[in-house]
Amino acid sequence: MNMQAPPATGVQPPPIPARLEDMQLPVVMMRDIMLKTMFRKNLDMIGDIARAICLPRAVTTELIDMTRAQNLLEATGTLHANASNEMGFQLTDAGKARTLDALSQSEYFGAMPVPLDVYREQVKRQSIRNIQITRKQLTDAMGHLVLPDDLLDNLGPAVSAGRSILMYGPPGNGKSSISNGIRDAMGEKIYVPRAIEYAGQVITVYDPIVHSAAETEEDDPNSLRVRRSYDTRYVKCERPTVVTGGELSLSMLDLVYNPTARTYQAPLQLKSTGGIFIVDDLGRQAEPPQSLVNRWIVPLEENKDILALQSGEKFEVPFDTLVIFSTNFHPNEIFDQAALRRIFYKIKIDGPNQQNFLKIFAMVAKKRGMPLSEPALVHLIKKKYPTINNVYANYQPIFLIDQIISICEFEGMPYQMSPELIDRAWANMFVKDEHIVK
């Protein structure tokens, strides 16, 4: 017996279908997707077909036998010696006609979709709310950041709860970096469906731009023994992170219909299932912040979202996402109290104090290969920062040191720091208020 090693992740993988009836998909849909895949990819061997439609060989064989019985496929009569003497199959004239008719109804081919109800069960197995983040995990993931001591005290419980978070505070203080650190702390891998099915419609979910595949599995082409450890209609991925900014609009949270292919693409929040959805720069979108949060009220409170097909039919999908809103505005300026109640955690991200600012400055200088200079630092702290009321921000060390590096390279001199170079770099960090004569 070929014993499979337990998966490295604590997430239970999606079970592998053993028979055609385990698929819980319309038989005609499965048959047509297989025919379209054979036609579009010019496939004729069971092993290749099984890999293309992401089904076990045994289930694919059942599907082929059923399709042969309908006179839509026929054996080619030749054995492929390089593939364990597999028999080849090809479309009959009736099969070609059926395939062209199916393509006219939907261009989708390839991986068999996962029924929505089956996907719901997998979402429960890998729920973001099953994660318990420890202080050590969060500290390790954010070790490259210099953060106030009490920030992790507030952030840790919020992340472990898997509920919505609003991070607010002055710009340039690492709200985006903190959001990415939260994702890194999660660690676990999850299973993302290539596509899901609802009411006979195919909705593609897996997106290489959003999802980072952790590994791929396929059958040994020279063996009939299956070596899979999970249903390969899913892709094993890092927990996804979707980041949106000023470009976010309400329409981006709806299904995207492709009228040519006659298929749907999952909206951003569905692609982020099991991971994090970051709404950065809240308040910079064309839509008012209140409208965006109103769109999230049902998902945030009931852990489900409502989507609509082209026909107007509405249906529920799981909403299992840690939503992080990040804004430079004070929450009371952009939300009413009803909206704020629906965001479970509000965490202010302030700029660093002088001590932490100097730590960041020293870390950046070391990373950039810039030697520190005590006279330059004294000039920066005693002469420059008092002009802006000693307001420090996390982005400033990187900005100033990169400016000094550019000046040194332009002047053809080794990297160095001086009060004069600090002044030249500082001049580019702020724009003076002055009247421009037109």
Side-chain angles (χ1 to χ4, degrees), residues 19-319:
R19 301 177 303 277
L20 201 58
E21 63 188 41
D22 295 338
M23 298 292 294
Q24 299 181 42
L25 285 170
V27 173
V28 172
M29 171 183 256
M30 289 190 287
R31 180 201 67 192
D32 287 351
I33 288 176
M34 183 182 72
L35 290 173
K36 289 185 286 184
T37 304
M38 292 177 67
F39 181 78
R40 286 295 193 211
K41 293 195 168 188
N42 193 27
L43 303 176
D44 61 355
M45 291 189 294
I46 291 179
D48 293 336
I49 297 167
R51 278 186 287 276
I53 61 177
C54 299
L55 293 185
R57 193 183 300 259
V59 178
T60 304
T61 300
E62 272 192 80
L63 193 54
I64 286 176
D65 289 344
M66 181 198 75
T67 310
R68 287 181 70 191
Q70 296 173 355
N71 195 33
L72 300 176
L73 282 182
E74 62 185 1
T76 60
T78 56
L79 295 175
H80 296 266
N82 64 339
S84 303
N85 292 323
E86 278 192 358
M87 177 68 71
F89 296 93
Q90 64 186 11
L91 276 65
T92 63
D93 289 341
K96 290 176 183 176
R98 175 60 212 163
T99 301
L100 292 174
D101 182 49
L103 284 168
S104 71
Q105 297 175 41
S106 169
E107 276 282 343
Y108 183 82
F109 66 93
M112 287 290 172
V114 177
L116 178 57
D117 286 341
V118 174
Y119 176 49
R120 288 186 216 277
E121 295 305 310
Q122 184 58 34
V123 170
K124 292 177 184 176
R125 296 185 194 105
Q126 60 195 29
S127 173
I128 193 81
R129 294 173 182 87
N130 294 341
I131 295 178
Q132 290 299 315
I133 299 290
T134 65
R135 180 179 291 274
K136 184 179 185 306
Q137 287 174 300
L138 208 52
T139 302
D140 290 347
M142 299 190 186
H144 61 296
L145 302 175
V146 177
L147 302 173
D149 293 336
D150 62 345
L151 180 58
L152 292 184
D153 296 342
N154 297 323
L155 203 56
V159 175
S160 291
R163 309 303 291 265
S164 53
I165 300 173
L166 172 64
M167 293 194 295
Y168 67 98
N173 284 310
K175 292 186 287 294
S176 299
S177 298
I178 291 169
S179 299
N180 292 330
I182 291 171
R183 197 292 302 269
D184 295 341
M186 292 178 173
E188 288 183 321
K189 310 292 189 299
I190 64 168
Y191 300 87
V192 177
R194 300 173 195 272
I196 58 177
E197 175 269 342
Y198 172 77
Q201 301 298 315
V202 177
I203 303 166
T204 59
V205 178
Y206 174 72
D207 182 346
I209 297 174
V210 170
H211 301 107
S212 299
E215 63 184 55
T216 57
E217 291 203 359
E218 61 179 34
D219 296 345
D220 181 346
N222 297 313
S223 172
L224 292 178
R225 296 196 318 177
V226 173
R227 300 184 182 277
R228 305 179 183 204
S229 61
Y230 60 86
D231 184 348
T232 54
R233 289 180 296 166
Y234 294 81
V235 181
K236 192 174 184 179
C237 298
E238 307 289 343
R239 286 192 179 269
T241 299
V242 173
V243 183
T244 63
E247 78 284 0
L248 179 64
S249 64
L250 289 173
S251 63
M252 295 168 67
L253 305 178
D254 296 330
L255 285 172
V256 178
Y257 182 67
N258 184 328
T260 303
R262 295 181 176 84
T263 58
Y264 293 87
Q265 185 178 117
L268 294 174
Q269 71 275 19
L270 188 54
K271 291 181 181 180
S272 69
T273 299
I276 301 175
F277 191 108
I278 300 171
V279 182
D280 209 358
D281 284 332
L282 188 65
R284 305 293 183 191
Q285 293 79 12
E287 309 279 357
Q290 188 75 42
S291 298
L292 289 172
V293 171
N294 286 345
R295 170 61 178 81
W296 295 89
I297 286 176
V298 170
L300 290 175
E301 291 190 343
E302 302 184 20
N303 301 330
K304 65 183 180 183
D305 197 8
I306 299 173
L307 301 177
L309 300 174
Q310 282 289 104
S311 63
E313 180 182 355
K314 295 183 178 180
F315 62 103
E316 293 179 0
V317 295
F319 186 85

